[in-house]
């Protein structure tokens, strides 16, 4: 059985274990934020939506990112992410009902994306030194607040409020590479289902057969289960979780897709799995899930229950479903794009047809990197200056001088706008600005 280690899934599928970058606290943070605002700027606050936060040495949100907060693409009528949200919601509403026919899952899709470190990481048992907390990977509003990196950030609060079955849909933010399937803002759907001992057992057994079965014990923590869970509890939760998600994938992608489960790791579930589907001949990872860590439930006042959770990236699903070739299209205001999703029934089959394909142009930039350099600083700088004109930034050469020990990176920046042509001269001008900013703000030495 394959075993993967990662914190997150969704549209962004990098292995976090492989992405640990060298950085040293304070000076790194200086580089992170220095190109976002003029260092000499007197700004002492950051405004996100209608809230204002004190800026501090951890602040690394960029104006480009802040301009996306509040867009709520998942709640925009006729937007493809909204159509997909409706389909997932309707699937759960229709298939999971109380005896009188009311849906059991509550859908929450309007929670603001600024959350505390406690919500995003601590409440989910994310280790203090985990890479997902690093400012190189996460947008900090200040030392106490981040733009949520996943919708799991709301699990504990909703459970504490008494929700036992819910879906959370929202925008999430991660500092990452730039290419056709990665954008620093994307959308996730989280699902949680809790069961009392009786609810879990009665789902599979008759009253008589249930006798003697329990879900809690004080046993060892082993790969197959957590210390407080019985093997029986895990077998039942795993079966219910996998059944629920396979059914969802079949509803959205079609009955004919093949599916497979891969063991993996998340700090907040154990055991954990990823679902892969074979879609048009290609295996694709579509979600992460697992048995919720009992400590999370205990802390949230639901210690008498057990549960499962899953998280999926809406863009990744929508790109496959609708044949959308580039993740930036979700942000397009172009009517040629949006009009293709103007359907009142979310189940209408749609295949996106590109309206116009503009030529690409590219420029390379090579520089010696300083000690505290992280690639995501450069990606944010490019994103800030090139905005949506940059299609991709690729590290095409990584060379360490054998004698000097200095490392040089060469990046190829591909310029192409979704809605209009970008000419080489225009690309050259932006490229010059990027080069200048990299020298001034990241302290690189251009070769
Ligand atoms: N939060 C995880 C991610 O962003 C997905 C997940 C949710 C995994 C719930 C397990 C349980 O990748």
């Amino acid at each position: 059985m394959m075993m993967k280690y990662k914190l997150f899934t969704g549209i962004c599928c990098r292995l976090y274990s492989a992405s640990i970058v060298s950085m040293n606290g304070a000076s790194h943070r200086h580089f992170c934020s220095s190109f976002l605002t003029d260092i000499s700027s007197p700004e002492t606050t950051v405004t996100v939506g209608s809230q204002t936060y004190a800026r501090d040495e951890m602040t690394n949100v960029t104006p480009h990112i802040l301009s996306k907060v509040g867009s709520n693409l998942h709640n925009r009528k006729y937007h493809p992410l909204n159509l997909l949200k409706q389909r997932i919601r309707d699937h759960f509403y229709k298939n999971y009902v109380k005896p009188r026919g009311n849906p059991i899952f509550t859908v929450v899709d309007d929670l603001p994306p600024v959350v505390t470190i406690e919500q995003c990481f601590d409440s989910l048992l994310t280790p203090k030194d985990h890479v997902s907390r690093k400012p190189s990977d996460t947008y900090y509003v200040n030392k106490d607040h981040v733009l949520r990196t996943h919708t799991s950030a709301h699990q504990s609060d909703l459970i504490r409020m008494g929700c036992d079955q819910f879906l959370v849909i929202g925008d999430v933010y991660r500092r990452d590479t730039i290419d056709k399937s990665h954008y620093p803002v994307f959308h996730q759907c989280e699902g949680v289902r809790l069961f009392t001992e009786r609810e879990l057992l009665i789902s599979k057994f008759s009253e008589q057969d249930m006798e003697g079965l329990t879900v809690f014990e004080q046993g060892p923590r082993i790969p197959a289960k957590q210390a407080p869970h019985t093997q029986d509890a895990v077998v039942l939760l795993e079966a219910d979780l996998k059944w629920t998600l396979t059914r969802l994938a079949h509803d959205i992608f079609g009955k004919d897709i093949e599916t497979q489960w891969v063991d993996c790791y998340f700090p907040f579930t154990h055991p954990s799995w990823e679902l892969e589907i074979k879609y048009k001949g290609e295996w694709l990872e579509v979600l992460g899930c697992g048995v919720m860590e009992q400590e999370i439930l205990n802390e949230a006042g639901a210690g008498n229950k057990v549960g499962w959770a899953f998280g999926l990236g809406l863009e990744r699903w929508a790109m496959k479903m609708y044949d959308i070739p580039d993740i930036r299209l979700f942000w397009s205001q172009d009517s040629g794009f949006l009009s293709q999703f103007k359907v009142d029934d979310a189940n209408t089959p749609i295949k996106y047809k590109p309206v116009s394909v503009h030529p690409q142009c590219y420029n390379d930039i090579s520089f010696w990197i300083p000690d505290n350099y992280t690639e995501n600083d450069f990606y944010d700088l490019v994103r800030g200056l090139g905005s949506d004109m940059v299609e991709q930034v690729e590290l095409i050469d990584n060379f360490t001088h054998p004698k000097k020990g200095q490392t040089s990176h060469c990046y190829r920046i591909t310029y192409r706008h979704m809605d209009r042509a970008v000419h080489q001269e225009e690309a050259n001008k932006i490229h010059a600005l990027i080069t200048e900013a990299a020298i001034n703000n990241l302290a690189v030495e251009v070769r």
Side-chain angles (χ1 to χ4, degrees), residues 108-133:
V108 184
D109 62 8
D110 55 0
L111 295 173
V114 177
V115 296
T116 60
I117 307 292
E118 160 71 26
Q119 290 172 302
C120 202
F121 303 119
D122 297 337
S123 73
L124 292 161
L125 316 176
T126 305
K128 290 280 185 231
D129 60 350
H130 199 281
V131 64
S132 63
R133 293 187 186 242

Side-chain angles (χ1 to χ4, degrees), residues 190-357:
E190 185 89 6
V192 166
R193 182 163 191 185
L194 305 187
F195 303 83
T196 59
E197 177 167 274
R198 191 181 159 74
E199 281 165 351
L200 187 64
L201 295 175
I202 203 89
S203 66
K204 295 283 178 302
F205 298 100
S206 67
E207 290 283 348
Q208 293 108 322
D209 294 345
M210 250 166 72
E211 235 160 82
L213 292 177
T214 51
V215 300
F216 294 115
E217 68 172 11
Q218 257 330 311
R221 184 178 174 100
I222 52 172
K225 67 167 208 79
Q226 299 169 37
H229 292 162
T230 60
Q231 291 276 9
D232 290 335
V234 182
V235 168
L236 293 176
L237 284 167
E238 175 176 350
D240 191 76
L241 171 61
K242 290 185 172 176
W243 156 247
T244 303
L245 295 173
T246 307
R247 202 175 177 199
L248 174 69
H250 279 144
D251 188 2
I252 305 287
F253 290 105
K255 285 268 167 290
D256 301 334
I257 54 153
E258 284 176 60
T259 57
Q260 70 184 19
W261 293 95
V262 180
D263 288 350
C264 74
Y265 163 82
F266 297 102
F268 28 91
T269 51
H270 183 74
S272 308
W273 303 275
E274 278 168 1
L275 173 60
E276 295 188 350
I277 64 167
K278 196 168 186 184
Y279 192 69
K280 296 195 177 154
E282 187 197 350
W283 282 105
L284 184 80
E285 176 203 312
V286 292
L287 59 82
C289 64
V291 174
M292 292 181 72
E293 283 287 351
Q294 198 58 36
E295 194 182 331
I296 299 177
L297 299 183
N298 295 348
E299 289 294 317
N304 62 332
K305 295 179 183 153
V306 291
W308 54 243
F310 73 85
L312 62 88
L314 291 183
E315 276 84 346
R316 167 161 279 227
W317 284 47
M319 284 173 86
K320 292 293 158 191
M321 273 169 64
Y322 300 127
D323 274 353
I324 297 175
D326 190 309
I327 195 165
R328 288 174 303 165
L329 279 164
F330 291 103
W331 295 90
S332 171
Q333 307 286 346
D334 190 279
S335 60
F337 174 76
L338 292 172
S339 64
Q340 298 192 32
F341 299 92
K342 205 154 190 261
V343 291
D344 287 313
D345 177 0
N347 294 307
T348 314
I350 299 173
K351 290 293 171 199
Y352 171 70
K353 286 174 225 60
V355 242
S356 66
V357 180

Side-chain angles (χ1 to χ4, degrees), residues 46-53 66 69-70 112-114:
V46 201
T47 303
V48 194
S50 56
Q51 288 285 336
T52 299
Y53 300 84
L66 290 175
V69 176
V114 177

Side-chain angles (χ1 to χ4, degrees), residues 44-97:
T44 54
T45 59
V46 201
T47 303
V48 194
S50 56
Q51 288 285 336
T52 299
Y53 300 84
R55 190 177 274 278
D56 62 28
E57 74 287 355
M58 287 298 276
T59 307
N60 69 352
V61 284
T62 67
H64 179 250
I65 290 300
L66 290 175
S67 74
K68 306 287 176 188
V69 176
S71 302
N72 293 326
L73 300 181
H74 59 292
N75 290 338
R76 276 201 203 164
K77 198 169 181 198
Y78 300 135
H79 192 280
L81 296 178
N82 181 258
L83 297 179
L84 174 57
K85 181 189 89 170
Q86 287 185 51
R87 286 194 56 184
I88 296 174
R89 184 194 61 195
D90 293 350
H91 172 89
F92 279 93
Y93 277 176
K94 196 170 79 211
N95 293 300
Y96 303 91
V97 290

Side-chain angles (χ1 to χ4, degrees), residues 343-385:
V343 291
D344 287 313
D345 177 0
N347 294 307
T348 314
I350 299 173
K351 290 293 171 199
Y352 171 70
K353 286 174 225 60
V355 242
S356 66
V357 180
H358 299 289
Q360 305 173 309
C361 40
Y362 63 83
N363 282 338
D364 295 344
I365 174 168
S366 302
F367 46 72
W368 298 108
I369 60 169
D371 285 347
N372 44 20
Y373 173 84
T374 92
E375 280 172 39
N376 283 341
D377 285 349
F378 182 63
Y379 297 144
D380 265 331
L381 182 147
V382 174
R383 193 77 81 175
L385 291 168

